[in-house]
Structure formats: C-alpha cells, structure tokens
Amino acid sequence: MRKKILMFGWEFPPFNSGGLGTACFGLTKALAKQKMEIMLVLPKKLSDNLSADFLKFIFPEDSHIVKEYNFNSLLTPYMGEESYSSSVFGFGEDFGGIYKNNIFGEVFRYADFGKFIAKKEEFDIIHAHDWLSFGAGINAKRISGKPFIAHVHATEFDRGGGVGINKTVYQIEKRGMEEADRVIAVSNFTKNIIVTHYGISADKVEVVHNGIEFVEEEGVERNMHKLKEAGKKIVLFVGRLTLQKGPDYFIRSAKKVCERTDDVYFIISGSGDMEYSLIREVARLGISDRVFFTGFLRGDALRKVYKISDLFVMPSVSEPFGITPLESLVNGTPVLISNQSGVSEVLSHALKVDFWDIDEMANKIISAIKYDSLGNCLKGCGKEEVKNITWDLAAKKCINLYNSA
Amino acid sequence: MPSVCFYFQVHQPYRIKKFSFFDIGNDSSYFSEEGENNLNNRFVMEKVARKSYIPTNKILLDLLKKHPEFRFTFSFSGVVLEQMERYSPESLETFRDLVDTGRVEILGETYYHSLAFLYSKEEFRKQVLMHKKKIEELFSFKPRIFRCTELAYSNEIAKEAEKMGFKGILGEGVDSVLGWRSPNFLYKAKGSKVNLFLKNYRLSDDIAFRFSQREWKSYPLTAEKFASWISKINGSGDIVNLFMDYETFGEHQWEETGIFDFLRALPREVLRRRDNSFSMLSECEKKFPVRDEIDFPYTTSWADMERDLSAWIGNDMQRDALSKLYELENDVIATEDSNIIDCWRRFQTSDQVYYMSTKGMGDGTVHGYFSPYNTPYDAFISFINALNDFKLKLKAINKNNYAKRY
C-alpha cells in the first residue's frame, strides 16, 4: 500500500482563481479521509496567519499529516490571461503583463524546488497537477525513484480556445506526461486530446472525473427581488472571460433570446482578457439593459448569484471538466452545458448543446425559462444526480492508480 | 398441456421532429424530419420493415404452413398501419398474408396508441372505434379482444372494454396483484364479464429482453431450452401468455443474436413435447375454464419493475405535456378539421411522453429506454414547442370559423 503522497499543486482555496484550486482541495480532502498522508507543495506564498487556519480548515477532524511548503513565487495557473492571445501568435516567451520574461523562470525555479523537497522528505508516490508543477514532479522522481503521476486538469489546446497554442507550454506538458509513470485525465474528452495531440499511449492514461462536495446551504439571502417579483428570469454565465469559456457564444444566444422575450436578464460573472470586448459587443447588439457584468465573484457572493438564477449556462469551447455546473446544481439551479466538456460525460440531467450552435443554445435557454416543468425536472433530478458525483469516488480511483503505478 | 399464446405488438409512432422555440409560428409540420436519423419516420419505418417486419413475417408464414397447430395474435396501432401503407406496402401485404391463413388473430386497441383512457373517455372510445374500422378495412377482421396501450389495465378499463363489446382483455401478470396465483390460467375481470389474459412476464422477457444478454445465466437461449420451460408448466397452468413487441425479432434483438433461428425452431420444439399446443387468444375462452376473478383497483402496465404508468406520467414534464395536450380537446373537435384532429391525436401517442422519461437516468443502472432524442429534455422541448405552434394554428382556425358563422 502506498500511503504517503508528495503532491505538487499550484493554488488552493481561498487563494484560487479557477477550478484547479477547487479540484485540488476536493481531491486532497477526500484522499485524507481515506487515510492517505499528503504533503502538498504550493508555489505561491500564503500569509502565515491564514496558512495555519487553512490547514486546520482543510482537514479539521483529521490527524493525518498534511505539511505545506510554500516558497515565494509569482506563479498563477491562468497566467498572462490579459495578453494571452498575443502570446499565442508567436511572441514566444513574452507573456506580457507582470509575468513578462518571468513565467518560465518561475516554472524552472519550482522544478528545482522539486529536487530539494524530494531529498528532504519521505514519500511513496509523486502526484503533480498540470504543467506548472510537472517539472517539479519529474525532478522528484529522478531523485527518489518513486513513481510519478501527472494529473491533467487542462491542456494547452483547451486554454487556446481553438485559436492556437503556446509551444513552450505544450513541450512542458508533453514531457511531463512522457516522463510520468501514469497520467490522470479529468475526462474522456481530455484523454482524447492527450492521446491525439501529445502522442501518449491510451493505456497509460486513466480517466478520473472530478467530484463535488454536496453541502446544502439554505437561507442564503436572495437579492434582485424586484426583478424576480416582476416575473423576470435570470440566466447566468460564470467563468473566466476568455475564448476557452465561450462567453461570446453566450452573448450571441442572449441576443436571440432577447429578440423573442422581454422576460429574461443575463448575468456574466467573471473577469478576463475578453471583458472589454464583451461589454462592447453587448452594447453593439443593443442589449446592454439586459446583460449585467458582475466581475469575478467567489464564496457567498457566487452562491447568491447561483441561487437567484433560473438557468446556468456553460458554453465552453473546450472544457476538460467544468466544475461550475455542478456548483450550480448544488445551489438548485438547472444547467445548460456544452457537449465539448468533460462534465457532460458524468451529468445526464442537463441541457446539452454544441458551443457553436447559438440557435440551439437560444432555443434551450428560452425553453428552460418558459416551461416550468422542464426547469423543475432539470433542477430536481440534477440535484439528486450531483450527490453521486463525489470526490470520494475520484480519490478511490487515484489510490488504485497509486498502487498499480 | 399448456397452450402457448403469442401476442406481438406492432407499432411505430409519428416522431416529432426537432422543433425549436423559434419555429413557433413559422413552421407547421411536426412529423416531417428528413435525413438518415431516427426522427425521420419514413427512415425508421423502412429500417424496421427491412430488419424486422418483412423477414419475421416470412418466417411466421413458413411456420404456419409447416405446423397446422401453430397460431398467434397481433395487435397493430392505427398509426403503424398508416405508415406501412405509405412507406412499406410490402410489410402490410405480408401481414395480410398471415392474417389470411385464419390462424392469426388481431386485437382491438386505440388507433393512436394513446393513453387517452386516463384523460378523456370519450376520446378513448373514438380512437378504439377508429381502430376497429381500420382493421376491418385492411384485414376484414373484427377484433374481439382488447388491449390498452402499454398493456395498461385496471377494473375500470375492463368495464370500458366490455361496454364497447369486447369479450376479453389483456393485462400484465403483476406479482403484487396476483399474489399466490399464477398468470398461466384464464381469469375474469372484477366488475365486468370480460375474460382476462395475463402476461407471463418471466418467459416473455426471456425472449424480449434477456435473449442476447451474455451475462444471463441461461444464455444462450435455445428453442429446446425454452420449450422445456414451457413443458414444466404442465399441470400448473392452462395457458402461457407470451406478450412482446414484434420488433423484438430483428430490431431489438438483431438477426446476429440468432433470434430468427430461435423463432424458426420454437414451434417444432414446443409441439414435440406431449400435450403442448398454440392458441389464438379468443380460442382459449372455449378451451379453458375461467379460474378466478382478479381485482385490479389501480392501473398497471407492462413497463419497468414497478409495472405502473410512471414511465409515461412519472415526471413534471410528462404530466405537463399531457395535460396541456388534452385540455385542447374541445377546441380541436370544434374545428371539424380532419387534419387538425389527426395532428392533435398524433401528439397523444404514448411514445411521445415515454421519450421524456427520466426514470433510472444517472443512477448508473442499465435501462432499456429506446429514444430517438438525445435526452428526455430534448424530447420535451420539441414536443412542447410543436404543441404551442399547434395551439396558435388552432386558435386561428377557430377564430376564423367563429367569424364565418356569425
């Protein structure tokens, strides 16, 4: 039995900017519950005060060892978003912004830290999440000779949103998967990309779908009462405002819906490099009075916005998994998701659509809000289904993999 | 000594094409999907005819010729007969050849394969009469025994069948109703004089569902094995009611599973054993005594473990769709427009709401829901949007008629 895991992550709630931190939190918590000992290495320094709370917060009732190493770094998983598209068009390592000429330096520094930690600690297996930590995983394997598992939550092909990829990132991803003893993909959708675009043998790749912790939270105050009382419906988008997440398709569908009915408002929650162009597009389409931008929301504010909404839409162009629809269902709001997502493999009580088919997206949005019986079925059945999509299941699969690697 | 009573259900609905909210008011054809997909009614009819109806009819005709004792029963929905007339005349011809032997019985049912009984008795009766007329026209046959859509059955349905002149009726051999009693006898309905034929679901489902399941302990099922199970009933039953969809042969169970070979060999294997026979259902009334009266206070069906109507009226979408549909009855009939009435009735075909069933989804269990839609939600969306378009049309016609009249 392999019990001690040296894990390389990159962000952790509440210091996360996306789904990866949420996934890391859910998985480590479930692994600890199943008696695994996890040393989680994070590249980003958290405040000392919070980090004590934070450890206690993750595994309050657990006596197993969780150590956390931080070293000061500027890494962030969704780095360079503001100028991502420029990097895609061949500016090489110039990611612009505060990461300019720095990001790959940080990655190599993190990789070096992998050597240091591998010499210092004892462990049975190495588990690294996504490309920023793969270098550290490879180094830790070289030093210790322990098996290395590369966990792929997203690939460069997803982040590019179909426009292009960064070659250096691609190379780091590819090498990480090649050097790994086993690769975990968060969906068949992602496994397919790994096999097709990275040339990794299908036998080496195991699919472990993400889960969600089902916590019923009643009594979160509903706002926007006036709209709701007037019989208006709210359709929600939550995600980074980047090509990958398809907010532009959401807006074009919204336009079609607005042409047909006055009863719907749209909320776009998130930030990203497309924010201003989306605001301009909404104005150009003449629906500024029907579409609200809230900026990036987390915690209670995010839960509130899930709860007041009548339909959640995830129109992603390429979504390795997609935890937000599950969060929405936990909060009792039915979902419409793109077929180009990993979560569509595990969620049957959802409306589904190809991201490019804005006519069909509009049809499903308007049908879901016009026909109560449809919304009720999606909501009721979806909430039940989500209870079975657990991190415990994901952790079990990981443990089996640790012992067979 | 048991007599084997085969009854095969022959039915295809008019599937509603993909109908968007944005089509409401702009498109008035609902059943006209094109291309090679399972919403295209012509495509499905031609496929089923090729894979199932035509080859199975040929086998059965050969068997009737070879075994003078062989006989069985069909029930056809009106909508499948219409579609055969239009898309597969060869199927209809070969069905007629079978009926012409005089050893094939046809049951009465609702023309539109509907659950109208639950919503409007008057509409139900109209559809049963329409069906009777269609069967007489096409087959020169007068149905004597009735089966309600999806083998729906209750004391009340039996009473209604009796009022319409039927002598017998079919139902599911539901364990919770039968208790210690066996489905292998002739019974009588409670509260009416009609005879009751109950499906032996174990033996029926061995053919219809388990035949090709490799994990089933009796796999592979041979005609000899099945006939030996029938013979075991000797002494503890008069009849064995094997009720199933006709599409079992060649469509649900593909030719590659060996289902046709099984069917070809079965009459010989059954008849080879002492005292076994085959009967059309109405022959049983003369051959066998009525053993008991059975009380079905609530409606049962042949579906799922529950043997109830939850596959059709189990969720909000299904109930919403049906109540919105049936509340149009008076307005539809008032048009006196045969196209409008026909269209409204096509929406009533039970398959339309079956496609909306969410039973068993997402709980990881395997279930046998055949649907041409990707999800039950897609089925509901097309149905309800098409129905809303239909309502607009209906309103316009009635307004126009009203204006003409006054």
Short mmCIF file of all heavy atoms in Angstrom, two decimals, chain A residues 256-257 260 348-351 359-360 362-364 366-367 370-371 373-374 376-378 381 385 388, chain B residues 18-24 26 315-317 320 358 361-363 375 377-378 380-381 384-385 388:
data_model
loop_
_atom_site.label_atom_id
_atom_site.label_comp_id
_atom_site.label_asym_id
_atom_site.label_seq_id
_atom_site.Cartn_x
_atom_site.Cartn_y
_atom_site.Cartn_z
N LYS A 256 -30.43 36.54 -29.28
CA LYS A 256 -31.57 35.85 -29.90
C LYS A 256 -32.74 35.71 -28.93
O LYS A 256 -33.90 35.84 -29.31
CB LYS A 256 -31.14 34.47 -30.40
CG LYS A 256 -30.31 34.55 -31.65
CD LYS A 256 -30.01 33.18 -32.22
CE LYS A 256 -29.21 33.29 -33.50
NZ LYS A 256 -30.02 33.75 -34.65
N VAL A 257 -32.40 35.39 -27.69
CA VAL A 257 -33.45 35.24 -26.69
C VAL A 257 -34.15 36.58 -26.46
O VAL A 257 -35.39 36.65 -26.38
CB VAL A 257 -32.87 34.67 -25.37
CG1 VAL A 257 -33.92 34.66 -24.26
CG2 VAL A 257 -32.34 33.26 -25.59
N ARG A 260 -36.88 37.62 -28.65
CA ARG A 260 -38.14 36.88 -28.57
C ARG A 260 -38.92 37.17 -27.29
O ARG A 260 -40.13 36.98 -27.23
CB ARG A 260 -37.81 35.38 -28.66
CG ARG A 260 -38.98 34.48 -28.89
CD ARG A 260 -39.56 34.70 -30.29
NE ARG A 260 -40.80 33.95 -30.42
CZ ARG A 260 -41.07 33.11 -31.41
NH1 ARG A 260 -40.22 32.93 -32.38
NH2 ARG A 260 -42.22 32.47 -31.43
N SER A 348 -26.16 13.64 -16.60
CA SER A 348 -27.19 13.37 -17.60
C SER A 348 -28.38 14.33 -17.47
O SER A 348 -29.08 14.57 -18.44
CB SER A 348 -27.66 11.92 -17.53
OG SER A 348 -28.03 11.58 -16.22
N HIS A 349 -28.59 14.86 -16.26
CA HIS A 349 -29.73 15.77 -16.09
C HIS A 349 -29.30 17.21 -16.36
O HIS A 349 -29.21 18.04 -15.46
CB HIS A 349 -30.33 15.61 -14.70
CG HIS A 349 -31.00 14.29 -14.52
ND1 HIS A 349 -32.18 13.97 -15.15
CD2 HIS A 349 -30.62 13.19 -13.85
CE1 HIS A 349 -32.52 12.73 -14.85
NE2 HIS A 349 -31.59 12.23 -14.06
N ALA A 350 -29.02 17.46 -17.62
CA ALA A 350 -28.59 18.79 -18.04
C ALA A 350 -29.04 18.97 -19.48
O ALA A 350 -29.17 18.00 -20.22
CB ALA A 350 -27.07 18.88 -17.98
N LEU A 351 -29.29 20.21 -19.85
CA LEU A 351 -29.48 20.51 -21.26
C LEU A 351 -28.10 20.55 -21.89
O LEU A 351 -27.16 21.03 -21.27
CB LEU A 351 -30.19 21.85 -21.43
CG LEU A 351 -31.61 21.92 -20.86
CD1 LEU A 351 -32.15 23.34 -20.96
CD2 LEU A 351 -32.55 20.96 -21.59
N ASP A 359 -28.16 29.02 -32.22
CA ASP A 359 -29.62 28.91 -32.38
C ASP A 359 -30.19 27.91 -31.39
O ASP A 359 -31.20 28.14 -30.74
CB ASP A 359 -29.97 28.45 -33.81
CG ASP A 359 -29.74 29.56 -34.82
OD1 ASP A 359 -29.82 30.74 -34.43
OD2 ASP A 359 -29.47 29.24 -36.00
N GLU A 360 -29.49 26.76 -31.29
CA GLU A 360 -29.96 25.72 -30.39
C GLU A 360 -29.76 26.16 -28.92
O GLU A 360 -30.57 25.85 -28.06
CB GLU A 360 -29.21 24.41 -30.68
CG GLU A 360 -29.64 23.21 -29.87
CD GLU A 360 -31.11 22.81 -30.03
OE1 GLU A 360 -31.81 23.39 -30.88
OE2 GLU A 360 -31.55 21.93 -29.27
N ALA A 362 -29.97 29.20 -27.83
CA ALA A 362 -31.07 30.13 -27.56
C ALA A 362 -32.38 29.37 -27.37
O ALA A 362 -33.17 29.66 -26.47
CB ALA A 362 -31.19 31.13 -28.70
N ASN A 363 -32.60 28.37 -28.21
CA ASN A 363 -33.81 27.54 -28.08
C ASN A 363 -33.89 26.91 -26.70
O ASN A 363 -34.93 26.92 -26.04
CB ASN A 363 -33.80 26.45 -29.17
CG ASN A 363 -34.91 25.42 -28.99
OD1 ASN A 363 -36.03 25.74 -28.58
ND2 ASN A 363 -34.59 24.15 -29.27
N LYS A 364 -32.77 26.37 -26.23
CA LYS A 364 -32.79 25.68 -24.95
C LYS A 364 -32.88 26.65 -23.78
O LYS A 364 -33.54 26.37 -22.78
CB LYS A 364 -31.58 24.76 -24.83
CG LYS A 364 -31.81 23.53 -25.72
CD LYS A 364 -30.82 22.43 -25.59
CE LYS A 364 -31.43 21.19 -26.27
NZ LYS A 364 -30.44 20.30 -26.84
N ILE A 366 -34.40 29.56 -23.81
CA ILE A 366 -35.77 30.11 -23.73
C ILE A 366 -36.77 29.02 -23.32
O ILE A 366 -37.69 29.28 -22.56
CB ILE A 366 -36.14 30.82 -25.06
CG1 ILE A 366 -37.28 31.81 -24.84
CG2 ILE A 366 -36.44 29.86 -26.16
CD1 ILE A 366 -37.44 32.80 -25.98
N SER A 367 -36.53 27.79 -23.78
CA SER A 367 -37.43 26.70 -23.39
C SER A 367 -37.34 26.46 -21.88
O SER A 367 -38.34 26.24 -21.20
CB SER A 367 -37.09 25.41 -24.15
OG SER A 367 -37.34 25.59 -25.54
N LYS A 370 -39.16 29.31 -20.10
CA LYS A 370 -40.59 29.46 -20.40
C LYS A 370 -41.41 28.30 -19.83
O LYS A 370 -42.58 28.46 -19.52
CB LYS A 370 -40.81 29.52 -21.91
CG LYS A 370 -40.41 30.84 -22.54
CD LYS A 370 -41.47 31.90 -22.34
CE LYS A 370 -41.02 33.23 -22.94
NZ LYS A 370 -41.94 34.32 -22.62
N TYR A 371 -40.82 27.11 -19.78
CA TYR A 371 -41.59 25.94 -19.37
C TYR A 371 -41.14 25.49 -17.98
O TYR A 371 -40.08 24.88 -17.82
CB TYR A 371 -41.41 24.80 -20.38
CG TYR A 371 -41.75 25.21 -21.80
CD1 TYR A 371 -40.84 25.03 -22.83
CD2 TYR A 371 -43.00 25.76 -22.12
CE1 TYR A 371 -41.15 25.40 -24.15
CE2 TYR A 371 -43.31 26.13 -23.42
CZ TYR A 371 -42.37 25.95 -24.43
OH TYR A 371 -42.68 26.31 -25.72
N SER A 373 -42.12 23.16 -16.04
CA SER A 373 -41.97 21.72 -15.78
C SER A 373 -40.59 21.23 -16.22
O SER A 373 -40.01 20.34 -15.60
CB SER A 373 -43.07 20.92 -16.48
OG SER A 373 -43.00 21.08 -17.88
N LEU A 374 -40.07 21.83 -17.27
CA LEU A 374 -38.74 21.47 -17.75
C LEU A 374 -37.67 21.88 -16.74
O LEU A 374 -36.82 21.09 -16.33
CB LEU A 374 -38.48 22.14 -19.11
CG LEU A 374 -37.09 22.00 -19.72
CD1 LEU A 374 -36.74 20.54 -19.98
CD2 LEU A 374 -36.99 22.78 -21.03
N ASN A 376 -38.10 22.46 -13.60
CA ASN A 376 -38.27 21.69 -12.36
C ASN A 376 -37.63 20.32 -12.44
O ASN A 376 -37.01 19.85 -11.49
CB ASN A 376 -39.76 21.52 -12.03
CG ASN A 376 -40.36 22.82 -11.56
OD1 ASN A 376 -39.65 23.75 -11.18
ND2 ASN A 376 -41.69 22.90 -11.60
N CYS A 377 -37.83 19.65 -13.59
CA CYS A 377 -37.23 18.32 -13.76
C CYS A 377 -35.71 18.41 -13.73
O CYS A 377 -35.04 17.61 -13.07
CB CYS A 377 -37.67 17.68 -15.07
SG CYS A 377 -39.27 16.90 -14.98
N LEU A 378 -35.18 19.39 -14.47
CA LEU A 378 -33.72 19.54 -14.54
C LEU A 378 -33.15 19.82 -13.16
O LEU A 378 -32.10 19.29 -12.78
CB LEU A 378 -33.37 20.70 -15.47
CG LEU A 378 -33.49 20.44 -16.97
CD1 LEU A 378 -33.49 21.75 -17.73
CD2 LEU A 378 -32.33 19.56 -17.45
N CYS A 381 -33.94 16.50 -10.60
CA CYS A 381 -33.12 15.33 -10.95
C CYS A 381 -31.63 15.68 -10.89
O CYS A 381 -30.82 14.87 -10.45
CB CYS A 381 -33.47 14.82 -12.34
SG CYS A 381 -35.13 14.21 -12.49
N GLU A 385 -28.63 13.89 -8.84
CA GLU A 385 -27.52 13.27 -9.56
C GLU A 385 -26.18 13.76 -9.05
O GLU A 385 -25.22 12.99 -8.93
CB GLU A 385 -27.65 13.56 -11.06
CG GLU A 385 -26.60 12.82 -11.89
CD GLU A 385 -26.83 12.94 -13.38
OE1 GLU A 385 -27.44 13.92 -13.82
OE2 GLU A 385 -26.37 12.04 -14.11
N ASN A 388 -24.14 12.07 -6.38
CA ASN A 388 -23.36 10.86 -6.68
C ASN A 388 -22.04 11.14 -7.39
O ASN A 388 -21.31 10.23 -7.73
CB ASN A 388 -24.19 9.90 -7.54
CG ASN A 388 -25.44 9.46 -6.83
OD1 ASN A 388 -25.42 9.23 -5.62
ND2 ASN A 388 -26.54 9.40 -7.54
N LYS B 18 -37.19 17.76 -34.65
CA LYS B 18 -36.56 18.75 -33.78
C LYS B 18 -37.26 20.08 -34.02
O LYS B 18 -37.20 20.63 -35.11
CB LYS B 18 -35.09 18.84 -34.15
CG LYS B 18 -34.24 19.42 -33.07
CD LYS B 18 -32.79 19.29 -33.45
CE LYS B 18 -32.01 20.52 -33.05
NZ LYS B 18 -32.62 21.47 -32.20
N PHE B 19 -37.98 20.56 -33.02
CA PHE B 19 -38.81 21.76 -33.20
C PHE B 19 -38.39 22.80 -32.18
O PHE B 19 -38.57 22.63 -30.98
CB PHE B 19 -40.29 21.38 -33.05
CG PHE B 19 -41.23 22.35 -33.69
CD1 PHE B 19 -41.70 22.13 -34.98
CD2 PHE B 19 -41.63 23.50 -33.02
CE1 PHE B 19 -42.56 23.04 -35.58
CE2 PHE B 19 -42.50 24.40 -33.62
CZ PHE B 19 -42.97 24.18 -34.91
N SER B 20 -37.83 23.88 -32.67
CA SER B 20 -37.27 24.92 -31.79
C SER B 20 -38.35 25.90 -31.35
O SER B 20 -39.36 26.10 -32.03
CB SER B 20 -36.17 25.66 -32.54
OG SER B 20 -35.86 26.87 -31.89
N PHE B 21 -38.09 26.55 -30.23
CA PHE B 21 -38.96 27.63 -29.77
C PHE B 21 -39.11 28.68 -30.86
O PHE B 21 -40.16 29.27 -31.04
CB PHE B 21 -38.37 28.27 -28.51
CG PHE B 21 -39.29 29.21 -27.82
CD1 PHE B 21 -40.16 28.76 -26.83
CD2 PHE B 21 -39.31 30.56 -28.15
CE1 PHE B 21 -41.03 29.63 -26.20
CE2 PHE B 21 -40.18 31.45 -27.52
CZ PHE B 21 -41.04 30.98 -26.55
N PHE B 22 -38.02 28.89 -31.61
CA PHE B 22 -38.03 29.91 -32.65
C PHE B 22 -38.80 29.47 -33.90
O PHE B 22 -39.01 30.27 -34.80
CB PHE B 22 -36.59 30.32 -33.00
CG PHE B 22 -35.89 30.96 -31.83
CD1 PHE B 22 -35.14 30.19 -30.95
CD2 PHE B 22 -36.03 32.30 -31.58
CE1 PHE B 22 -34.52 30.78 -29.85
CE2 PHE B 22 -35.41 32.90 -30.49
CZ PHE B 22 -34.65 32.13 -29.62
N ASP B 23 -39.20 28.21 -33.93
CA ASP B 23 -40.03 27.74 -35.05
C ASP B 23 -41.51 27.99 -34.79
O ASP B 23 -42.33 27.87 -35.71
CB ASP B 23 -39.84 26.22 -35.27
CG ASP B 23 -38.43 25.88 -35.71
OD1 ASP B 23 -37.81 26.73 -36.37
OD2 ASP B 23 -37.97 24.76 -35.40
N ILE B 24 -41.85 28.29 -33.55
CA ILE B 24 -43.26 28.51 -33.22
C ILE B 24 -43.81 29.66 -34.06
O ILE B 24 -43.23 30.74 -34.07
CB ILE B 24 -43.46 28.81 -31.72
CG1 ILE B 24 -42.98 27.63 -30.87
CG2 ILE B 24 -44.93 29.12 -31.41
CD1 ILE B 24 -42.98 27.88 -29.37
N ASN B 26 -43.78 29.70 -37.23
CA ASN B 26 -43.09 29.76 -38.54
C ASN B 26 -43.07 28.44 -39.28
O ASN B 26 -42.62 28.37 -40.41
CB ASN B 26 -41.63 30.19 -38.35
CG ASN B 26 -41.54 31.54 -37.68
OD1 ASN B 26 -42.29 32.45 -38.01
ND2 ASN B 26 -40.65 31.66 -36.72
N ASN B 315 -42.96 12.13 -14.46
CA ASN B 315 -42.31 13.39 -14.08
C ASN B 315 -43.13 14.60 -14.52
O ASN B 315 -44.12 14.49 -15.24
CB ASN B 315 -40.86 13.45 -14.60
CG ASN B 315 -40.75 13.57 -16.11
OD1 ASN B 315 -41.58 14.20 -16.76
ND2 ASN B 315 -39.73 12.94 -16.69
N ASP B 316 -42.71 15.76 -14.04
CA ASP B 316 -43.44 17.01 -14.29
C ASP B 316 -43.61 17.31 -15.78
O ASP B 316 -44.66 17.78 -16.20
CB ASP B 316 -42.68 18.20 -13.68
CG ASP B 316 -42.91 18.30 -12.18
OD1 ASP B 316 -43.69 17.48 -11.65
OD2 ASP B 316 -42.30 19.19 -11.56
N MET B 317 -42.56 17.04 -16.56
CA MET B 317 -42.65 17.35 -17.99
C MET B 317 -43.74 16.52 -18.65
O MET B 317 -44.52 17.03 -19.46
CB MET B 317 -41.31 17.03 -18.68
CG MET B 317 -40.16 17.90 -18.25
SD MET B 317 -38.66 17.61 -19.23
CE MET B 317 -38.15 15.99 -18.70
N ASP B 320 -47.19 17.64 -17.52
CA ASP B 320 -47.44 18.96 -18.10
C ASP B 320 -47.81 18.82 -19.58
O ASP B 320 -48.80 19.39 -20.05
CB ASP B 320 -46.15 19.79 -17.95
CG ASP B 320 -46.34 21.24 -18.35
OD1 ASP B 320 -47.47 21.75 -18.21
OD2 ASP B 320 -45.35 21.87 -18.78
N THR B 358 -37.45 10.31 -17.32
CA THR B 358 -36.13 10.48 -16.69
C THR B 358 -35.85 9.34 -15.72
O THR B 358 -34.88 9.38 -14.96
CB THR B 358 -36.06 11.81 -15.93
OG1 THR B 358 -37.24 11.95 -15.14
CG2 THR B 358 -35.97 12.98 -16.88
N MET B 361 -32.29 7.43 -14.97
CA MET B 361 -31.15 8.14 -15.56
C MET B 361 -30.19 8.59 -14.48
O MET B 361 -30.60 9.08 -13.45
CB MET B 361 -31.64 9.41 -16.25
CG MET B 361 -31.85 9.30 -17.71
SD MET B 361 -32.60 10.82 -18.26
CE MET B 361 -31.22 11.92 -18.24
N GLY B 362 -28.91 8.40 -14.74
CA GLY B 362 -27.92 8.96 -13.83
C GLY B 362 -27.71 8.17 -12.56
O GLY B 362 -26.89 8.54 -11.74
N ASP B 363 -28.45 7.06 -12.38
CA ASP B 363 -28.18 6.26 -11.19
C ASP B 363 -27.30 5.06 -11.54
O ASP B 363 -27.10 4.16 -10.75
CB ASP B 363 -29.49 5.80 -10.52
CG ASP B 363 -30.31 4.90 -11.42
OD1 ASP B 363 -29.84 4.59 -12.54
OD2 ASP B 363 -31.41 4.50 -11.01
N THR B 375 -31.74 13.37 -25.24
CA THR B 375 -32.11 13.33 -23.83
C THR B 375 -33.62 13.51 -23.71
O THR B 375 -34.28 13.99 -24.65
CB THR B 375 -31.45 14.50 -23.05
OG1 THR B 375 -32.10 15.73 -23.43
CG2 THR B 375 -29.96 14.62 -23.33
N TYR B 377 -35.01 15.68 -22.10
CA TYR B 377 -35.26 17.13 -22.13
C TYR B 377 -35.42 17.60 -23.57
O TYR B 377 -36.26 18.45 -23.87
CB TYR B 377 -34.12 17.86 -21.40
CG TYR B 377 -34.00 17.37 -19.97
CD1 TYR B 377 -32.94 16.55 -19.56
CD2 TYR B 377 -34.99 17.67 -19.05
CE1 TYR B 377 -32.87 16.07 -18.26
CE2 TYR B 377 -34.93 17.19 -17.75
CZ TYR B 377 -33.87 16.40 -17.36
OH TYR B 377 -33.81 15.92 -16.09
N ASP B 378 -34.64 17.05 -24.47
CA ASP B 378 -34.78 17.39 -25.89
C ASP B 378 -36.15 16.94 -26.40
O ASP B 378 -36.78 17.64 -27.20
CB ASP B 378 -33.69 16.71 -26.72
CG ASP B 378 -32.32 17.29 -26.44
OD1 ASP B 378 -32.14 18.49 -26.64
OD2 ASP B 378 -31.42 16.55 -25.99
N PHE B 380 -38.92 16.66 -24.67
CA PHE B 380 -39.93 17.58 -24.15
C PHE B 380 -39.93 18.90 -24.92
O PHE B 380 -40.98 19.43 -25.28
CB PHE B 380 -39.70 17.85 -22.66
CG PHE B 380 -40.63 18.88 -22.07
CD1 PHE B 380 -41.92 18.54 -21.73
CD2 PHE B 380 -40.21 20.19 -21.91
CE1 PHE B 380 -42.80 19.50 -21.21
CE2 PHE B 380 -41.07 21.16 -21.40
CZ PHE B 380 -42.37 20.81 -21.04
N ILE B 381 -38.74 19.43 -25.17
CA ILE B 381 -38.63 20.74 -25.82
C ILE B 381 -39.27 20.71 -27.22
O ILE B 381 -40.06 21.58 -27.57
CB ILE B 381 -37.15 21.20 -25.89
CG1 ILE B 381 -36.66 21.57 -24.48
CG2 ILE B 381 -36.98 22.39 -26.83
CD1 ILE B 381 -35.17 21.85 -24.38
N ILE B 384 -43.22 20.28 -26.75
CA ILE B 384 -43.97 21.41 -26.21
C ILE B 384 -43.93 22.60 -27.18
O ILE B 384 -44.91 23.33 -27.31
CB ILE B 384 -43.48 21.77 -24.79
CG1 ILE B 384 -44.55 22.51 -24.00
CG2 ILE B 384 -42.17 22.54 -24.80
CD1 ILE B 384 -45.61 21.62 -23.42
N ASN B 385 -42.82 22.78 -27.87
CA ASN B 385 -42.75 23.86 -28.86
C ASN B 385 -43.69 23.58 -30.03
O ASN B 385 -44.40 24.47 -30.50
CB ASN B 385 -41.31 24.04 -29.35
CG ASN B 385 -40.44 24.72 -28.31
OD1 ASN B 385 -40.92 25.48 -27.48
ND2 ASN B 385 -39.14 24.43 -28.35
N ASN B 388 -47.18 24.17 -28.93
CA ASN B 388 -47.50 25.60 -28.87
C ASN B 388 -47.75 26.18 -30.26
O ASN B 388 -48.61 27.05 -30.42
CB ASN B 388 -46.39 26.37 -28.14
CG ASN B 388 -46.60 26.30 -26.64
OD1 ASN B 388 -47.73 26.24 -26.16
ND2 ASN B 388 -45.51 26.26 -25.90
#
